């Protein structure tokens, strides 16, 4: 198989795009909604961070589940749960209720994304993995372009409750894609017949380095999606939805060629400049209050999108190349642990930084993990080269 856009790949692409539209609809509006209910930024950040924290805790088990059971059944169950959780945001009436919903949302999102990534990797020719995952990420990019603006616009026009309902409806609609996936019998024929647990079922060492890099990148993404809208309000930008639209358009263009670049040049070729672009974007945002805020936001959106568009498909392709096909579920879950940890910790820690030192300090602090993983990756590669030549 050399064709990327086969029926299975296309179905998974569309399902993932719709799922992420709903995710971005709520991710950029939830912090505003919670603070309008009287919560502090730190408390809202803790509730927001509960979802990726739950995703991180369930992630090792989601990899094992993905490798053992029918993908169609798993997606049917957990996409439905995902949609119900989103609808419940509009019905929750207490902080405890929001916490429970966020935790359940994290569990459902963790298993859904693990299954989806393993499925799409099995639909792509190995020699075109970077390109295929780059195109796949374009669905998330389109969601980033449509979701935040649509979420903010609906929340302003109809109120947050109806916006949550519409976002949940998007997830339920994505279930249509299951009609185009293999049936359960076909899937079970390719699965190992083993239900015992081993340490290797939960953590794949080949994916750990990429998981650490993903942590740094996801931390930057976490503070962006959680606090850009609030930061914009503080600087007099009434609706920061355009920031995400500009970012998404740039990300879309970047992903169109960076996946091919990874296949041809290798992982390291895009890692360093990509992470540097993200770090520079955070530095610019930290100084937005001293200059023309809208211009700084625009430049930062473009730079960060270029960096993420280069690094994310490279990371995903590297993980898929590191393991045999039957271990892709566990490898994906290991990889996503870093992303979940970044998404979970960043809103909580960043919210505390904002309450005590302001948004400018928050953006500067989150440049540090990016610098650390660049230096750490370079050190690991140097050690490996010395061992190979010794």
């Amino acid at each position: 198989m050399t064709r990327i856009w086969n029926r299975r790949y296309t179905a998974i692409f569309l399902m993932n795009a719709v799922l992420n539209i709903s995710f971005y609809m709520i991710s950029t509006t939830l912090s505003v909604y919670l603070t309008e209910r009287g919560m502090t930024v730190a408390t809202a950040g803790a509730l927001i961070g509960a979802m990726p924290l739950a995703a991180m805790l369930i992630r090792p088990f989601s990899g094992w589940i993905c490798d053992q059971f029918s993908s169609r059944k798993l997606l049917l169950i957990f996409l439905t749960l995902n949609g119900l959780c989103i609808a419940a945001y509009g019905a929750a009436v207490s902080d405890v209720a929001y916490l429970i919903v966020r935790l359940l949302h994290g569990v459902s999102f963790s298993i859904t994304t693990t299954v989806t990534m393993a499925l799409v990797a099995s639909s792509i020719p190995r020699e075109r993995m970077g390109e295929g995952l780059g195109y796949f990420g374009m669905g998330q990019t389109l969601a980033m372009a449509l979701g935040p603006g649509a979420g903010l616009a609906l929340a302003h026009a109809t109120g947050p409750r109806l916006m949550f309902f519409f976002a949940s409806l998007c997830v339920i609609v994505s279930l249509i894609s299951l009609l185009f996936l293999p049936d359960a019998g076909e899937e079970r024929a390719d699965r190992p017949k083993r239900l015992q647990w081993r340490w290797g079922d939960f953590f794949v060492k080949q994916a750990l380095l990429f998981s650490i890099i993903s942590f740094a990148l996801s931390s930057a993404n976490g503070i962006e999606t959680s606090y850009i809208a609030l930061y914009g309000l503080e600087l007099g930008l009434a609706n920061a939805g355009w920031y995400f639209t500009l970012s998404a358009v740039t990300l879309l263009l970047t992903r169109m060629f960076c996946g091919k670049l990874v296949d041809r040049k290798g992982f390291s070729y895009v890692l360093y400049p990509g992470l540097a672009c993200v770090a520079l974007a955070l530095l610019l945002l930290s100084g937005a209050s001293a200059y023309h805020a809208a211009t700084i936001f625009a430049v930062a959106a473009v730079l960060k999108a270029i960096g993420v568009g280069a690094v994310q498909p490279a990371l995903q392709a590297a993980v898929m190349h590191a393991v045999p096909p039957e271990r892709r579920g566990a490898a994906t879950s290991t990889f996503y642990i870093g992303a979940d940890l970044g998404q979970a910790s960043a809103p909580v820690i960043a919210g505390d930084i904002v309450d005590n030192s302001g948004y400018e300090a928050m953006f500067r602090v989150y440049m540090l993990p990016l610098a650390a993983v660049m230096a750490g990756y370079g050190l690991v590669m140097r050690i490996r080269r010395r061992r190979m030549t010794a």
Side-chain angles (χ1 to χ4, degrees):
M1 179 179 64
T2 58
R3 186 164 61 95
I4 291 178
W5 289 96
N6 53 72
R7 188 180 74 166
R8 179 173 175 174
Y9 178 91
T10 303
I12 302 168
F13 175 93
L14 293 174
M15 182 197 71
N16 187 66
V18 174
L19 175 66
N20 278 277
I21 286 174
S22 69
F23 175 80
Y24 282 108
M25 282 179 68
I26 67 169
S27 64
T28 53
T29 56
L30 190 58
S31 60
V32 176
Y33 177 58
L34 294 178
T35 54
E36 286 178 349
R37 285 174 47 88
M39 295 184 190
T40 65
V41 174
T43 302
L47 283 174
I48 292 169
M51 175 187 169
L53 176 62
M56 179 187 67
L57 294 176
I58 198 67
R59 188 70 76 178
F61 302 95
S62 70
W64 179 82
I65 292 170
C66 173
D67 286 336
Q68 297 297 323
F69 299 104
S70 163
S71 298
R72 287 182 68 182
K73 290 181 179 178
L74 290 174
L75 289 175
L76 176 63
I77 294 169
F78 290 102
L79 277 173
T80 302
L81 179 59
N82 201 296
L84 293 175
C85 287
I86 294 173
Y89 288 128
V93 294
S94 68
D95 293 357
V96 173
Y98 275 112
L99 178 61
I100 293 172
V101 172
R102 287 296 282 176
L103 293 174
L104 287 174
H105 195 186
V107 170
S108 64
F109 197 77
S110 172
I111 295 177
T112 299
T113 52
T114 300
V115 174
T116 300
M117 183 57 66
L119 269 177
V120 77
S122 68
S123 305
I124 303 170
R126 182 175 179 83
E127 68 276 8
R128 301 181 68 184
M129 188 67 69
E131 182 183 1
L133 291 175
Y135 292 149
F136 184 70
M138 288 168 59
Q140 294 171 278
T141 304
L142 291 171
M144 186 186 295
L146 299 172
L152 291 169
L154 280 171
H156 289 149
T158 65
R161 293 179 187 273
L162 281 178
M163 185 275 296
F164 291 134
F165 174 77
F166 185 81
S168 70
L169 187 61
C170 288
V171 179
I172 301 303
V173 169
S174 72
L175 289 169
I176 296 173
S177 65
L178 298 185
L179 298 173
F180 300 93
L181 296 183
D183 61 32
E186 178 183 341
E187 289 190 282
R188 281 195 296 269
D190 295 330
R191 294 180 186 275
K193 304 300 187 290
R194 178 182 58 80
L195 297 179
Q196 295 83 10
W197 287 356
R198 300 180 305 190
W199 177 256
D201 293 327
F202 303 130
F203 298 99
V204 177
K205 63 180 181 180
Q206 294 94 328
L208 285 176
L209 177 60
F210 307 113
S211 181
I212 293 171
I213 298 172
S214 182
F215 164 78
L217 193 63
S218 293
S219 296
N221 289 337
I223 63 172
E224 179 189 53
T225 56
S226 298
Y227 295 117
I228 278 292
L230 289 173
Y231 187 38
L233 288 174
E234 182 177 280
L235 298 180
L237 302 176
N239 187 342
W242 62 265
Y243 173 95
F244 295 98
T245 302
L246 177 59
S247 177
V249 171
T250 306
L251 191 57
L252 183 65
L253 296 174
T254 304
R255 284 186 182 274
M256 290 178 67
F257 68 87
C258 275
K260 293 182 180 180
L261 191 63
V262 173
D263 290 334
R264 294 171 182 171
K265 297 290 187 178
F267 178 68
S268 300
Y269 192 83
V270 299
L271 177 69
Y272 295 113
L275 292 180
C277 283
V278 177
L280 181 56
L282 297 184
L283 179 62
L284 288 173
L285 287 171
S286 72
S289 60
Y291 301 97
H292 193 276
T295 301
I296 295 297
F297 267 47
V299 175
V302 170
L303 280 173
K304 184 176 179 297
I306 291 173
V308 172
V311 175
Q312 274 189 341
L315 283 170
Q316 293 166 342
V319 171
M320 294 300 102
H321 280 308
V323 296
E326 66 272 13
R327 300 288 290 132
R328 282 173 175 162
T332 298
S333 68
T334 303
F335 169 71
Y336 272 133
I337 287 172
D340 294 334
L341 182 59
Q343 291 279 358
S345 63
V348 180
I349 298 173
D352 189 61
I353 294 172
V354 169
D355 282 342
N356 290 281
S357 304
Y359 289 101
E360 295 82 358
M362 175 192 72
F363 287 115
R364 294 191 186 104
V365 166
Y366 276 90
M367 293 173 60
L368 299 178
L370 297 168
V373 296
M374 280 192 281
Y377 179 78
L379 179 61
V380 170
M381 291 299 102
R382 191 177 302 116
I383 292 173
R384 287 181 179 178
R385 284 192 294 268
R386 286 178 180 175
R387 288 177 177 176
M388 292 176 63
T389 57

